[in-house]
Amino acid sequence: MAAGETQLYAKVSNKLKGHSTPSLLDPLLALGFPAHTALKALAATGRKTVEEASSWLHSHCKDPSLDDPIPQEYALFLCPTGPLLERLQEFWRESKRQCAKNRAHEVFPHVTLCDFFTCEDQKVESLYEALKRAGDQVLASFPATVPLVLHSSVSYLGFFISDGPADVIREFATAFATEAAVLADCSVKPCTKQLHLTLAHKFYPHHQRTLEQLARAVPPGHPCQWTAALFSRDMRFVHYQTLRALFQYKPQNGDELTLSPGDYIFVDPSEQEEASEGWVLGTSHRTGCRGFLPENYTERASEADTWVKHRTYTFSLATDTSSRKDAEASGRRNGDFHSPTPRSISSLQALQATLARRSVLVVRHGERVDQVFGKYWLRQCSTTDGKYYRPDLNFPRQLPRRSSGLSDFERDPPLSSCGTFQARLAGNSLLDSGVRITAVFSSPALRCVQTANHILEELKLEKTLKIRIEPGIFEWTKWEAGRTGPNFMTQAELREAGFSVDLDYRPAFPLSSLLPAESYVQYTDRCAHSMERVLGACPQEPGVILIVSHGSALDVCTRPLLGLPPRDCGDFVQLVRKIPALGMCFCEENEEGKWELASPPARTLTHGANSAFNWRSWIPGS
């Protein structure tokens, strides 16, 4: 660091000694940390404790940006607490489950009071003083209740705040901006437009009706104590995706990241061309290090999960002003903002029950054997006289009998042993969810029929529900090798192999009508027509129609239900290649007969690869 910078931080150190009792900076300096990095650590952890700042510094010891003078970005929010927050959080959960995630789920329930702004690390404590002074200025005039009015449009749903209370809240935001400019030399732009608490934003238009009904179950007059909360974020990763690590990962190469469960990773979508399939390039929030990581070890997280909560000011009109909290020592992150309360039967759940309609669950088949052992897998498991044997435990224990012998398995492969296990796990998860399956349709591909059968066995429905073979939901034939399609097992062969197939079902798209190397338009039209016939063949009673097909079906079999046109072919290909074994897409029919995306009733299945092991490598000299 330059001499001028050293003098600057020396002045900052002296200033903070008188400002903070006891000082948080002194112990860090005594531990040997430079002043500029110690201040950076304090700002990045919300100036809570020396221990947290010290831990942050040790974690970031290899962070290439540790010495960069990059300040945090701050924003002030007005947050509800108490019973109203509980109802809002319940709406958050139900809207995500029934209508999938939208932009509102990225942040906790709040009213935005100002745009994000920067504050130098050495001036953050002055920012806390600005919050306290602004709160004290409007405390006496802050409304005892804040009336909320529901507003809805095709892409936005939320509560608007009435003008009278909104004026007082704007006055508080303006006072904070003024105090922050004087005390912390920050340029803060207070919110002067319509104040609002967003419930849903940038959602599918066909979800508007369901979201409105869920929102009406949130009583805006619920008791609430409003709290102004100051949060910060790392300004470098504002437009990045945020991932959360699910499993531990130890790097196998020097350019890979170490992962611990719960780690957050920032990923720039524009940089992913550098990564191999199944991998992403990201920066660790915990360590600041950058590297590659396996994508299937992570899940999407919300934007605010990495924000740091600093201080709050709670607007309380209690006579004992000492009970008012102007600075919460805990300063926990958003996920720990409020302690969870037990969830009981509520009007939201009652509403959900009244909306029970038909549902469609589209499931991709389990792991196929050629996916593991390659195109010529049959050569590895067949004798010279054409008999099957099991050279590896991930080969199926046995193969069903086919009149044409083993050769037809090459283009119509079975599930691997792991694929069978995956299907059974999914079926068990569906059993735990309590869903009611009313009909089952399967692609004629053997791997799909096997997956459907294993799911039914776990649901204890293999003797009561028959699998309807529907060629119309088979894979895009352009992706099939050869000029003709695969020779699928006949229904008689499937019955002989123990699969309960419906011999009376007349498919929407006969097998003989499948065109080899069909165009993308032909493929999407085929699936749309098939889905129309599939729904027509099912009763109107509430229940789940299970469709077991290929990864592409999660897109082309659901978009017609949602009233959406086919995706661009290039986007479709990129999407499908990321769909894992037993990936699911779930659609529900609302009270108006329209279909909407919802959270699948079964949990996801994520696992790592297991490479082949050769015992001969242990023989000396081999």
Side-chain angles (χ1 to χ4, degrees):
M1 202 167 45
E5 290 183 80
T6 304
Q7 294 175 1
L8 169 64
Y9 280 109
K11 294 178 181 178
V12 171
S13 176
N14 291 332
K15 181 179 180 181
L16 288 176
K17 284 180 181 178
H19 225 139
S20 200
T21 309
S23 172
L24 295 175
L25 182 61
D26 288 346
L28 295 174
L29 296 178
L31 290 172
F33 295 112
H36 67 292
T37 57
L39 287 166
K40 189 170 189 176
L42 288 170
T45 56
R47 295 188 70 91
K48 302 179 187 69
T49 65
V50 172
E51 290 74 20
E52 286 189 58
S54 177
S55 177
W56 187 94
L57 285 165
H58 284 296
S59 296
H60 285 257
C61 61
K62 296 183 180 180
D63 183 348
S65 66
L66 184 60
D67 291 319
D68 294 345
I70 304 174
Q72 292 277 305
E73 241 185 0
Y74 295 81
L76 186 64
F77 301 107
L78 186 65
C79 303
T81 65
L84 177 59
L85 176 63
E86 294 170 15
R87 299 305 291 270
L88 290 169
Q89 290 174 327
E90 193 168 25
F91 171 87
W92 246 249
R93 290 190 292 267
E94 284 301 313
S95 62
K96 187 175 181 180
R97 191 192 72 80
Q98 295 192 36
C99 302
K101 188 175 181 179
N102 62 65
R103 281 290 297 167
H105 291 111
E106 293 291 334
V107 188
F108 43 83
H110 70 280
V111 177
T112 301
L113 298 183
C114 68
D115 293 346
F116 272 95
F117 61 93
T118 58
C119 180
E120 297 176 33
D121 295 339
Q122 65 269 24
K123 298 177 180 178
V124 173
E125 196 157 331
S126 298
L127 202 60
Y128 303 162
E129 179 64 21
L131 173 61
K132 181 182 183 304
R133 290 188 183 185
D136 289 346
Q137 289 180 34
V138 301
L139 178 60
S141 59
F142 196 87
T145 60
V146 178
L148 302 174
V149 180
L150 187 64
H151 173 80
S152 178
S153 69
V154 292
S155 63
Y156 175 84
L157 179 71
F159 289 122
F160 282 3
I161 298 178
S162 302
D163 286 343
D167 290 340
V168 177
I169 296 172
R170 290 193 194 96
E171 180 185 345
F172 165 67
T174 302
F176 171 74
T178 302
E179 295 290 347
V182 173
L183 297 175
D185 194 25
C186 295
S187 178
V188 181
K189 182 181 179 181
C191 183
T192 58
K193 298 181 180 179
Q194 172 70 61
L195 296 181
H196 55 274
L197 191 156
T198 299
L199 297 176
H201 181 45
K202 291 189 177 179
F203 48 82
Y204 286 112
H206 58 273
H207 286 157
Q208 182 180 357
R209 177 75 172 178
T210 301
L211 290 170
E212 286 179 357
Q213 290 173 317
L214 290 172
R216 291 193 187 100
V218 180
H222 244 38
C224 175
Q225 191 174 50
W226 292 90
T227 297
L230 188 66
F231 284 83
S232 73
R233 66 184 182 184
D234 193 321
M235 61 188 298
R236 295 173 297 167
F237 306 113
V238 171
H239 299 296
Y240 284 45
Q241 292 179 354
T242 307
L243 304 180
R244 180 190 294 108
L246 298 172
F247 310 103
Q248 185 174 0
Y249 178 76
K250 294 183 178 180
Q252 307 299 311
N253 299 289
D255 60 353
E256 296 174 5
L257 277 180
T258 298
L259 296 181
S260 296
D263 281 359
Y264 291 102
I265 311 296
F266 299 113
V267 174
D268 183 353
S270 65
E271 294 181 342
Q272 299 316 306
E273 292 182 359
E274 302 177 40
S276 303
E277 182 177 354
W279 292 76
V280 293
L281 179 63
T283 301
S284 171
H285 172 260
R286 180 173 60 86
T287 66
C289 296
R290 176 179 165 89
F292 294 96
L293 62 143
E295 188 174 15
N296 62 351
Y297 275 52
T298 66
E299 65 178 359
R300 283 293 299 272
S302 298
E303 174 186 334
D305 286 348
T306 59
W307 292 1
V308 177
K309 184 182 176 189
H310 288 253
R311 298 293 185 269
T312 65
Y313 188 105
T314 300
F315 292 96
S316 172
L317 297 180
T319 55
D320 181 11
T321 57
S322 64
S323 65
R324 181 164 30 87
K325 298 179 181 179
D326 61 349
E328 288 185 354
S330 61
R332 292 171 292 180
R333 290 197 181 99
N334 173 45
D336 298 322
F337 198 175
H338 295 274
S339 58
T341 57
R343 187 177 180 192
S344 59
I345 296 176
S346 65
S347 56
L348 283 176
Q349 292 168 308
L351 176 60
Q352 179 185 344
T354 64
L355 294 177
R357 296 292 187 274
R358 290 186 303 172
S359 306
V360 171
L361 177 62
V362 184
V363 181
R364 188 194 177 194
H365 57 76
E367 179 185 84
R368 46 193 281 181
V369 69
D370 60 330
Q371 181 181 343
V372 183
F373 297 104
K375 179 179 179 181
Y376 302 107
W377 66 277
L378 265 178
R379 299 180 185 179
Q380 305 173 43
C381 62
S382 54
T383 62
T384 53
D385 57 351
K387 293 182 179 179
Y388 173 78
Y389 72 97
R390 191 185 195 188
D392 185 283
L393 289 179
N394 205 18
F395 277 83
R397 184 182 298 273
Q398 59 187 16
L399 295 178
R401 191 188 69 82
R402 300 176 88 143
S403 59
S404 56
L406 296 180
S407 60
D408 281 344
F409 284 112
E410 184 171 343
R411 296 184 59 195
D412 184 26
L415 294 178
S416 66
S417 296
C418 286
T420 297
F421 178 65
Q422 291 169 334
R424 290 193 174 279
L425 278 180
N428 187 263
S429 182
L430 287 172
L431 179 66
D432 290 342
S433 74
V435 298
R436 177 173 174 264
I437 305 294
T438 57
V440 185
F441 295 83
S442 172
S443 159
L446 175 59
R447 55 193 180 275
C448 297
V449 179
Q450 289 177 311
T451 301
N453 190 71
H454 292 314
I455 290 175
L456 287 179
E457 287 177 344
E458 291 300 314
L459 289 168
K460 317 299 182 188
L461 294 175
E462 72 277 11
K463 295 182 179 179
T464 56
L465 278 182
K466 294 183 178 181
I467 302 171
R468 303 177 188 181
I469 307 299
E470 179 51 69
I473 57 175
F474 178 60
E475 186 65 273
W476 186 9
T477 59
K478 180 181 177 180
W479 288 343
E480 294 293 317
R483 296 184 178 180
T484 60
N487 289 326
F488 300 113
M489 292 180 65
T490 65
Q491 293 199 0
E493 289 174 335
L494 291 172
R495 288 292 294 267
E496 182 184 345
F499 301 113
S500 179
V501 296
D502 189 346
L503 300 179
D504 296 326
Y505 174 66
R506 297 184 62 182
F509 209 92
L511 191 59
S512 59
S513 300
L514 284 179
L515 299 174
E518 64 191 336
S519 69
Y520 179 59
V521 173
Q522 289 172 324
Y523 170 54
T524 55
D525 286 347
R526 161 169 56 93
C527 290
H529 172 71
S530 299
M531 287 303 298
E532 182 180 356
R533 292 286 301 274
V534 162
L535 292 179
C538 295
Q540 293 291 327
E541 61 179 318
V544 177
I545 302 167
L546 175 62
I547 295 176
V548 183
S549 185
H550 310 266
S552 55
L554 271 67
D555 184 69
V556 295
C557 288
T558 57
R559 288 182 74 84
L561 296 182
L562 302 173
L564 300 174
R567 293 182 192 272
D568 173 79
C569 184
D571 294 340
F572 165 77
V573 172
Q574 292 300 316
L575 175 73
V576 170
R577 63 193 290 265
K578 297 179 181 179
I579 296 175
L582 272 301
M584 298 183 184
C585 200
F586 190 54
C587 296
E588 290 181 322
E589 190 178 29
N590 64 23
E591 61 180 354
E592 296 180 340
K594 295 182 179 180
W595 292 88
E596 302 173 342
L597 279 177
S599 176
R603 292 182 292 275
T604 56
L605 172 64
T606 307
H607 54 80
N610 194 53
S611 58
F613 175 75
N614 188 349
W615 64 272
R616 290 186 174 84
S617 61
W618 289 76
I619 300 176
S622 62

